[in-house]
């Protein structure tokens, strides 16, 4: 890893063994982008790359000069209005109403390590040797506004982290209308754009299209990163696969309104920008004030999409998530929501906990419905200090009873919102976000508190720390169940109303940060009606997040597959729930629900009292399996093998231990097939020289000898062990064909819709 500056050619070269990133100070002082790709030698001169030339009808920077045009030059932090007609990275409105600016080089610093970003979540390093940071200071000479661009290169990862801090060093106040965290001009447009989109209960489906001239983007305008689009985009070469080829991954560490955009201009240059959504954004900077923008993480790979994901997984698991739970195995939990919703009594909860203990479950989570008046989603939200009559011993009384059963106790909160019918609303209607004279839009009967106000954050901190500190609470599920509307703050003057959405997120981060710091050993899990805020910003505070309100196994395969492109399994909140599924009314086998949920933090969300003894036995053995392998699921290297988005009725993925001695592959069939095609599963990430004993799990997660479905009448008791080399498993593949189609033959289970198998491989 090194960052160098060649004073003669005014060129910066940031590199490690994975990539080179080259920039140059242009003749007008602006910074030009020259190269981002495979590592190239240091000490080279890259002056041939900007290609200044006369092109008819172009706008040129200086009179009498016909080759240097901002339309044609690739830039690091471009603005609009001086000859570059693409969407800019930065837009400033100055005191005289002008929107023209131009940011030119002032100076730079290269330092070991990585600085913190004030008020915002960001990746970090434990040791200064892990990373190096370049800070380039740019200045708009007329307004005096400065932009400090930070670039951090990690030594052992193909990661370049970027952020920007805008400071008004001029005499007059200015308005920042647009300020992206990253801008990257790539010299061609031969890319597929992959976005992760969906809706509530259908989050992060993979959507791919070829880049075209014009603008393509994903964004949020909802105040949260949202169910609809994730702040993560990939640009890959059309020929790039999971295992080979070039790709860039772009991820924004932010939980509010974002924009990720690619603009392909008429010369096939691609400008990728990412940051806070400029839509509705306007931030006043008085003299001396600064605005810190969120961090954007770029990953470059020449080895395919799995390799790109590994970089994000390692970075986000080990250098974004923090604290006590970062590396710890997470407890297997049972959550009361899908079992009881609001219909709780202390007795029923304790009965469920007792059964859960017998099944090997370790943590009992009381979801919504526990506080005063909360017998439906119409009442009580905001009143965190009193419990419902159905919990006579209060939260601590219940927590102690649950602990007496041998489980830890966890609790649901939704601090950011309130119902109209709540004491908090009656006392502090003035704390709401609402537009004067207009009615309030509700979502799930909720109204949003103005977290941009310090007194609101302080109040919430006091009441929640009293709650958590006052009872035996080991886990908190932090929910958020509405988009933000009427984003107007009574606490801000008219000219600062464009700041409300971002100030909300800053308040949220402050509150989350203070609570996590006050209760370092409490495991926090984020949630926003399922996956509405599944973003890296939240991962900085809580190491795991509820992936979606749809816990149906077949739907989860799609969502977990999509989510895995950026986020590590250690962040996936995955539960086994009841059938028919509460969202989609689908029946899936219990073992498939477990086989999907194992690839995550794992838990349950169903009424154990409704299950048969056989099903309870199954669950007991599933939790045993999870306990045996959860370190592997938490820290192993995850590979996508077969995409459920390819329309082949199949999906597969696997996780391999760091020493490559243990691996578990999940193979999932959606609809059953009669007399179906042959299939081989090509494993990844194994050591080709090792021999692996291959086992497959049955409905009880028992590890049985591997038996191809076609092995008629094979008896698991007597079947010999199958030992295959890593080379064979990866190159030849493991036959996983299924010709049984519902017919029971020998000891083999008949297959069914949504059947699945795990293949467990141990080096021998
Ligand atoms: C949201 C969450 C659910 C549950 C309910 C409770 O929808 O995503 O898991 O906590 O709220 O109201």
């Amino acid at each position: 890893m090194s960052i160098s500056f060649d004073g003669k050619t005014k060129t910066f070269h940031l590199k490690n063994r994975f990539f080179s990133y080259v920039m140059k100070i242009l003749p007008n002082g602006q910074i030009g982008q020259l190269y981002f790709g495979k590592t190239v030698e240091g000490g080279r001169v890259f002056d041939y790359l900007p290609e200044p030339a006369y092109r008819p009808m172009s706008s040129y920077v200086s009179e009498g000069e016909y080759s240097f045009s901002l339309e044609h030059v690739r830039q690091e932090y471009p603005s609009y209005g001086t000859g570059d007609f693409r969407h800019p990275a930065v837009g400033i409105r100055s005191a005289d109403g002008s929107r023209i600016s131009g940011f030119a080089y002032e100076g730079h610093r290269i330092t070991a390590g990585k600085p913190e970003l004030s008020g915002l979540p960001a990746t970090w390093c434990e040791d200064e040797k892990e990373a190096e940071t370049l800070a380039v200071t740019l200045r708009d000479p007329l307004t005096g506004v400065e932009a400090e661009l930070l670039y951090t290169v990690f030594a052992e990862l193909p990661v370049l982290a970027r952020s920007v801090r805008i400071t008004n060093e001029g005499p007059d106040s200015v308005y920042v209308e647009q300020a992206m965290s990253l801008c990257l001009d790539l010299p061609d447009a031969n890319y597929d754009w992959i976005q992760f989109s969906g809706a509530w209960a259908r989050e992060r489906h993979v959507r791919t299209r070829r880049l075209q001239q014009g603008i393509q983007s994903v964004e949020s305008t909802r105040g949260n990163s949202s169910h609809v689009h994730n702040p993560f985009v990939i640009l890959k070469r059309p020929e790039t696969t999971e295992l080979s080829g070039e790709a860039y991954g772009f991820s924004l560490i932010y939980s509010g309104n974002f924009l990720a955009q690619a603009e392909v201009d008429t010369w096939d240059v691609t400008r990728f920008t990412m940051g806070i959504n400029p839509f509705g954004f306007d931030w006043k900077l008085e003299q001396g004030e600064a605005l810190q923008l969120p961090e954007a993480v770029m990953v470059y790979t020449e080895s395919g999409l799995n390799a790109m994901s590994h970089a994000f997984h390692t970075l986000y698991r080990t250098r974004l998530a923090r604290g006590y739970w970062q590396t710890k195995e997470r407890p297997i939990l049972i959550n009361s929501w899908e079992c009881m919703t609001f219909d709780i009594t202390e007795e029923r909860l304790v009965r469920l906990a007792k059964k859960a203990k017998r099944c090997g479950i370790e943590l009992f989570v009381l979801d919504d419905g526990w506080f005063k008046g909360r017998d439906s989603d119409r009442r009580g939200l905001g009143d965190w200090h009193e419990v419902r009559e159905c919990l006579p011993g209060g939260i601590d009384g219940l927590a102690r009873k649950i602990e007496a059963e041998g489980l830890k106790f966890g609790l649901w909160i939704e601090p950011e919102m309130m119902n109209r019918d709540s004491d908090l609303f009656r006392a502090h209607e003035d704390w709401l976000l609402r537009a004067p004279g207009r009615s309030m839009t509700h979502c799930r009967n909720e109204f949003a508190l103005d977290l941009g106000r310090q007194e609101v954050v302080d109040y919430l901190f006091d009441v929640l720390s009293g709650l958590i500190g006052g009872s035996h609470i080991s886990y908190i599920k932090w929910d958020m169940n509405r988009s933000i509307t009427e984003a107007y703050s009574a606490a801000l003057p008219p000219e600062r109303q464009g700041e409300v959405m971002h100030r909300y997120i800053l308040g949220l981060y402050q509150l989350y940060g203070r609570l996590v710091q006050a209760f370092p050993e409490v495991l926090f899990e984020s949630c926003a009606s399922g996956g509405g805020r599944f973003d890296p910003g939240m991962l900085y505070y809580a190491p795991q997040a509820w992936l979606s309100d749809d816990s149906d196994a077949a739907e989860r395969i799609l969502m977990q597959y999509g989510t895995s492109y950026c986020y590590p399994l250690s962040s996936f909140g995955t539960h086994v729930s009841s059938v028919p599924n509460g969202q989609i009314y689908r029946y899936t086998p219990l073992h498939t629900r477990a086989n999907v949920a194992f690839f995550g933090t794992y838990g349950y969300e169903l009424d154990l009292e409704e299950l048969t003894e056989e099903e309870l036995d199954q669950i007991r053995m599933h939790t045993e399996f999870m306990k045996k392998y959860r370190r592997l699921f938490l820290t192993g290297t995850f590979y996508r093998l077969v995409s459920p988005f390819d329309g082949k009725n199949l999906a597969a993925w696997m996780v391999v231990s760091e020493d490559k001695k243990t691996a578990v592959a999940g193979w999932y069939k959606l609809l059953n097939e009669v007399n179906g095609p042959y299939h081989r599963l090509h494993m990844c990430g194994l050591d080709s020289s090792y021999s692996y004993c291959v086992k497959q799990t049955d409905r009880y997660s028992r590890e049985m000898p591997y038996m191809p479905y076609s092995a008629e009448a094979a008896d698991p008791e007597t079947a010999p062990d199958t030992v295959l080399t890593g080379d064979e498993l990866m190159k030849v593949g493991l036959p996983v064909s299924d010709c049984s189609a519902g017919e029971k033959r020998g000891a083999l289970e008949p297959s069914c819709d949504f059947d699945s198998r795990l293949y467990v491989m141990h080096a021998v």
Side-chain angles (χ1 to χ4, degrees):
M1 163 192 65
S2 68
I3 297 177
S4 60
F5 178 66
D6 178 345
K8 234 191 331 191
T9 59
K10 299 187 176 164
T11 306
F12 297 96
H13 188 166
L14 298 76
K15 69 182 185 119
N16 61 17
R17 65 193 164 89
F18 305 99
F19 67 82
S20 278
Y21 192 90
V22 185
M23 307 181 279
K24 180 185 169 63
I25 304 170
L26 299 170
N28 69 342
Q30 295 189 14
I31 306 288
Q33 151 59 227
L34 299 191
Y35 175 72
F36 182 27
K38 289 179 200 182
T39 311
V40 290
E41 251 177 75
R44 305 300 304 162
V45 174
F46 296 95
D47 286 350
Y48 55 94
L49 288 174
E51 300 179 70
Y54 172 72
R55 289 205 186 225
M57 287 311 296
S58 294
S59 311
Y60 295 101
V61 172
S62 327
E63 284 182 50
E65 200 280 337
Y66 301 96
S67 65
F68 181 54
S69 163
L70 295 178
E71 270 184 81
H72 291 285
V73 79
R74 296 187 290 282
Q75 296 169 68
E76 280 298 304
Y77 215 57
S79 53
Y80 172 78
T82 57
D84 183 351
F85 300 99
R86 294 164 288 186
H87 279 228
V90 59
I92 305 287
R93 190 171 81 246
S94 47
D96 63 3
S98 161
R99 289 188 161 85
I100 318 294
S101 57
F103 284 84
Y105 175 83
E106 278 274 303
H108 72 270
R109 266 173 304 122
I110 298 171
T111 47
K114 182 172 191 297
E116 284 181 12
L117 303 188
S118 120
L120 286 174
T123 59
W124 45 273
C125 52
E126 212 162 60
D127 186 309
E128 289 207 329
K129 291 192 198 84
E130 287 176 13
E132 205 173 359
T133 299
L134 166 69
V136 182
T137 305
L138 308 178
R139 188 182 172 86
D140 175 42
L142 206 67
T143 57
V145 175
E146 282 191 2
E148 187 181 56
L149 315 186
L150 290 189
Y151 299 82
T152 299
V153 185
F154 284 81
E156 292 306 326
L157 288 169
V159 168
L160 184 61
R162 293 177 60 173
S163 62
V164 179
R165 187 179 176 84
I166 311 257
T167 311
N168 183 5
E169 298 288 0
D172 302 318
S173 48
V174 297
Y175 292 84
V176 181
E177 294 188 320
Q178 165 154 11
M180 306 311 276
S181 297
L182 94 84
C183 173
L184 176 68
D185 285 353
L186 292 165
D188 70 86
N190 187 27
Y191 292 103
D192 285 341
W193 157 285
I194 310 180
Q195 65 189 53
F196 299 86
S197 300
W200 169 79
R202 183 165 47 77
E203 294 92 343
R204 292 173 301 284
H205 282 211
V206 181
R207 298 271 176 261
T208 306
R209 69 186 120 131
R210 188 62 48 85
L211 276 192
Q212 299 289 348
Q213 187 178 332
I215 286 178
Q216 31 261 288
S217 66
V218 287
E219 63 170 1
S220 170
T221 54
R222 294 169 173 267
N224 52 11
S225 50
S226 93
H227 305 88
V228 183
H229 297 298
N230 199 258
F232 176 59
V233 165
I234 299 170
L235 293 183
K236 74 165 188 69
R237 294 298 186 189
E239 65 277 9
T240 295
T241 66
E242 286 290 355
L243 294 173
S244 69
E246 269 197 313
Y248 300 93
F250 304 96
S251 166
L252 189 68
I253 303 180
Y254 191 59
S255 310
N257 289 350
F258 72 92
L259 174 68
Q261 174 172 301
E263 178 172 5
V264 178
D265 74 10
T266 192
W267 300 285
D268 278 354
V269 170
T270 302
R271 169 166 294 171
F272 186 87
T273 47
M274 190 176 225
I276 293 178
N277 198 342
F279 181 84
F281 176 84
D282 194 27
W283 193 281
K284 185 176 185 187
L285 286 181
E286 304 274 17
Q287 186 185 22
E289 281 182 348
L291 172 65
Q292 175 63 57
L293 304 177
E295 179 164 294
V297 173
M298 309 198 291
V299 167
Y300 168 76
T301 177
E302 51 176 315
S303 322
L305 297 177
N306 271 317
M308 182 211 68
S309 299
H310 297 159
F312 279 113
H313 294 175
T314 306
L315 183 75
Y316 285 174
R317 184 169 57 78
T318 66
R319 292 296 178 266
L320 179 65
R322 303 171 298 167
Y324 181 82
W325 285 100
Q326 186 214 35
T327 53
K328 290 228 170 21
E329 293 177 13
R330 311 289 163 70
I332 297 176
L333 66 83
I334 185 157
N335 178 301
S336 64
W337 180 247
E338 289 190 31
C339 165
M340 301 183 197
T341 62
F342 297 101
D343 194 12
I344 57 168
T345 62
E346 189 179 90
E347 195 213 331
R348 201 176 165 203
L349 293 165
V350 174
R351 263 199 339 255
L352 183 63
K354 233 188 223 7
K355 275 238 145 118
K357 177 67 187 171
R358 277 180 42 205
C359 292
I361 294 168
E362 300 157 310
L363 166 70
F364 185 91
V365 178
L366 172 54
D367 206 280
D368 198 353
W370 58 266
F371 41 92
K372 197 182 106 186
R374 189 66 170 177
D375 53 6
S376 79
D377 64 14
R378 293 180 169 270
R379 271 178 287 287
L381 198 62
D383 295 343
W384 305 110
H385 40 264
E386 271 182 78
V387 295
R388 272 170 78 185
E389 282 144 17
C390 55
L391 300 175
I395 288 300
D396 197 40
L398 174 66
R400 285 171 193 272
K401 283 192 175 161
I402 300 285
E403 288 197 345
E405 297 297 334
L407 289 96
K408 294 283 186 198
F409 178 77
L411 197 62
W412 176 96
I413 54 171
E414 187 181 352
E416 300 159 62
M417 309 300 160
M418 53 184 178
N419 288 136
R420 182 180 284 280
D421 187 357
S422 68
D423 290 347
L424 184 63
F425 192 104
R426 284 180 281 273
H428 276 296
E429 202 178 333
D430 56 320
W431 280 356
L432 286 177
L433 287 172
R434 65 188 307 180
R438 299 191 186 275
S439 62
M440 290 191 294
T441 311
H442 82 94
C443 176
R444 217 186 177 215
N445 311 301
E446 294 177 9
F447 302 98
L449 286 160
D450 183 355
L451 291 201
R453 292 170 74 155
Q454 192 57 46
E455 71 266 41
V456 175
V457 171
D458 290 343
Y459 168 81
L460 289 172
F461 176 76
D462 287 346
V463 72
L464 294 174
S465 53
L467 171 70
I468 302 170
S471 347
H472 282 220
I473 291 176
S474 307
Y475 162 107
I476 287 288
K477 174 173 168 188
W478 182 312
D479 209 342
M480 188 271 187
N481 279 306
R482 63 159 298 167
S483 307
I484 306 296
T485 55
E486 289 88 29
Y488 186 97
S489 170
L492 291 175
E495 74 277 14
R496 285 195 179 270
Q497 293 300 327
E499 303 175 15
V500 171
M501 287 287 203
H502 182 55
R503 284 187 183 275
Y504 179 95
I505 296 293
L506 292 177
L508 167 71
Y509 287 154
Q510 189 205 126
L511 178 61
Y512 223 138
R514 284 167 68 183
L515 282 169
V516 167
Q517 207 175 6
F519 302 100
E521 289 185 18
V522 171
L523 172 60
F524 281 79
E525 174 158 353
S526 299
C527 173
S529 310
R533 220 161 44 184
F534 203 108
D535 60 61
M538 288 286 109
L539 277 188
Y540 183 73
Y541 303 98
Q544 61 190 61
W546 184 222
L547 199 120
S548 173
D549 269 350
D550 193 342
S551 50
D552 169 76
E555 297 297 308
R556 278 296 181 107
I557 289 172
L558 297 162
M559 292 186 272
Q560 288 176 216
Y561 204 90
T563 307
S564 79
Y565 280 87
C566 183
Y567 303 96
L569 296 193
S570 57
S571 65
F572 290 19
T574 51
H575 297 174
V576 171
S577 61
S578 56
V579 287
N581 177 269
Q583 308 298 359
I584 200 165
Y585 305 107
R586 180 183 285 144
Y587 288 84
T588 53
L590 184 53
H591 69 278
T592 292
R593 282 174 268 155
N595 287 346
V596 175
F598 286 145
F599 290 81
T601 54
Y602 203 65
Y604 288 85
E605 184 126 358
L606 41 65
D607 192 351
L608 296 172
E609 299 207 300
E610 282 180 354
L611 300 187
T612 62
E613 278 307 312
E614 196 206 332
E615 287 170 318
L616 291 173
D617 261 3
Q618 253 184 290
I619 292 187
R620 193 173 43 74
M621 293 175 76
H622 293 162
T623 59
E624 258 173 44
F625 179 86
M626 184 59 185
K627 286 174 192 170
K628 182 169 172 197
Y629 290 108
R630 66 179 149 190
R631 178 140 292 278
L632 172 67
F633 290 116
L634 182 76
T635 62
T637 309
F638 179 80
Y639 290 87
R640 289 173 298 273
L641 303 178
V642 178
S643 172
F645 295 98
D646 285 351
K648 289 199 194 108
N649 201 27
L650 290 174
W653 53 45
M654 72 186 290
V655 61
V656 184
S657 66
E658 216 180 318
D659 63 8
K660 298 185 183 233
K661 289 194 169 148
T662 314
V664 177
W667 177 80
Y668 309 92
K669 189 172 48 147
L670 301 177
L671 295 183
N672 207 2
E673 292 167 321
V674 178
N675 201 7
Y678 290 98
H679 297 293
R680 280 197 199 172
L681 192 54
H682 292 261
M683 306 296 175
C684 281
L686 301 173
D687 188 315
S688 47
S689 66
Y690 288 174
S691 293
Y692 293 89
C693 178
V694 183
K695 303 267 189 189
Q696 67 188 42
T697 59
D698 69 358
R699 291 188 297 128
Y700 290 83
S701 291
R702 282 180 300 218
E703 292 172 45
M704 316 294 273
Y706 161 73
M707 292 182 297
Y709 271 108
S710 51
E712 192 168 336
D715 180 352
E717 299 299 320
T718 55
D721 274 347
T722 300
V723 177
L724 299 170
T725 63
D727 202 42
E728 285 171 293
L729 284 163
M730 293 190 289
K731 290 182 184 158
V732 182
L734 188 72
V736 292
S737 321
D738 170 11
C739 61
S740 63
E743 200 182 322
K744 186 165 168 58
R745 288 186 293 170
L748 287 175
E749 298 284 350
S751 66
C752 54
D753 283 350
F754 311 111
D755 201 0
S756 65
R757 287 269 161 111
L758 297 187
Y759 295 97
V760 182
M761 288 150 277
H762 287 285
V764 288

